[in-house]
Amino acid sequence: MMRYNILHDGTTTIELMPFSTMSDEDIYSVIAFLRTQEPVSHVVEPTEWTMMGKAIKTLALKPMDDGMDSHPEVVKGATVEYGKYLAASVANCRGCHTNRDLKSGAFIGPEYAGGMTFEPTPETQGWQFVTPNLTLHETGVMHGWDRNMFFNRMTAGRMHMTSPMPWGSFSRLDSTDLDALWLFFSSLEPVENEIAQVVFEPEGE
């Protein structure tokens, strides 16, 4: 499932797990961790497919192929290369901080330049969010930041209660991971993409 979007019964499902380029070692580690968790009795109803969905699932959905012949262990270190691996294959920063067509899931904007909109939902209590530009262009949220400012923000945790950003997880990254991410984002070509506002209050407030 993690690598190819193939379910335990051998059928292919929609792309929900954007971790196909993780190293084998990291996927094995995720499996090992999950196997240490206390079993919980929780019946999850099977997914219901419409007739159109069933046709697409049968005829159109194919296993993912990232074009990689192997997925070797990635050397952890304060490097651009490791930061790119974390951002693209583990943390999935690109998945939200690159604008995309929410109907097809296709990326339609420059990588890491922000602009993806999270519409209001009951989970966000009516708040709407737009992902900021992570490139160091003057229109980016990190323009003018240095390493310490990046570290301080990433470890500060959640500032808005219903933000879709998983701040809890990122606040626990170690210094090597944060250094690598900072070096990677600093290496990106600056992209002009003005995001005037990233948080919108519920209508009527």
Side-chain angles (χ1 to χ4, degrees):
M1 179 63 194
M2 294 282 285
R3 180 76 74 212
Y4 302 111
N5 261 24
I6 297 176
L7 300 175
H8 68 278
D9 62 2
T11 61
T12 305
T13 188
I14 56 176
E15 183 180 346
L16 294 174
M17 305 283 281
F19 306 110
S20 65
T21 56
M22 285 178 65
S23 70
D24 289 339
E25 188 68 21
D26 283 346
I27 288 184
Y28 295 153
S29 296
V30 170
I31 294 170
F33 166 73
L34 292 175
R35 287 177 173 171
T36 68
Q37 302 307 293
E38 192 71 25
V40 176
S41 177
H42 179 216
V43 177
V44 178
E45 296 298 325
T47 300
E48 295 289 339
W49 295 81
T50 63
M51 289 299 294
M52 178 63 74
K54 290 177 181 177
I56 293 174
K57 186 174 187 294
T58 302
L59 302 174
L61 292 183
K62 304 296 182 184
M64 288 189 301
D65 180 4
D66 55 30
M68 298 174 63
D69 295 328
S70 62
H71 299 81
E73 183 176 358
V74 177
V75 178
K76 179 171 180 171
T79 63
V80 171
E81 293 73 23
Y82 183 59
K84 180 178 180 179
Y85 170 72
L86 290 177
S89 301
V90 179
N92 192 32
C93 304
R94 184 182 70 159
C96 293
H97 287 276
T98 302
N99 197 13
R100 62 200 307 176
D101 182 337
L102 296 184
K103 292 182 179 179
S104 67
F107 292 107
I108 57 175
E111 286 196 341
Y112 303 104
M116 179 176 168
T117 299
F118 286 82
E119 297 292 344
T121 67
E123 288 73 23
T124 67
Q125 299 178 12
W127 290 79
Q128 176 177 298
F129 298 87
V130 180
T131 56
N133 181 354
L134 296 185
T135 75
L136 300 191
H137 189 270
E138 62 183 17
T139 59
V141 68
M142 295 196 296
H143 175 68
W145 286 20
D146 59 20
R147 173 184 177 277
N148 288 336
M149 294 174 69
F150 178 76
F151 269 56
N152 288 339
R153 179 62 196 99
M154 293 299 290
T155 57
R158 190 176 298 277
M159 293 184 177
H160 194 285
M161 184 175 63
T162 63
S163 168
M165 174 78 171
W167 284 111
S169 299
F170 287 103
S171 68
R172 295 190 290 273
L173 292 175
D174 64 28
S175 60
T176 301
D177 291 340
L178 290 174
D179 261 326
L181 285 170
W182 169 247
L183 290 171
F184 169 66
F185 289 129
S186 299
S187 76
L188 294 174
E189 181 177 348
V191 176
E192 181 177 358
N193 190 22
E194 182 75 47
I195 310 294
Q197 188 173 343
V198 296
V199 181
F200 295 83
E201 292 187 2
E203 292 185 2
E205 294 193 10

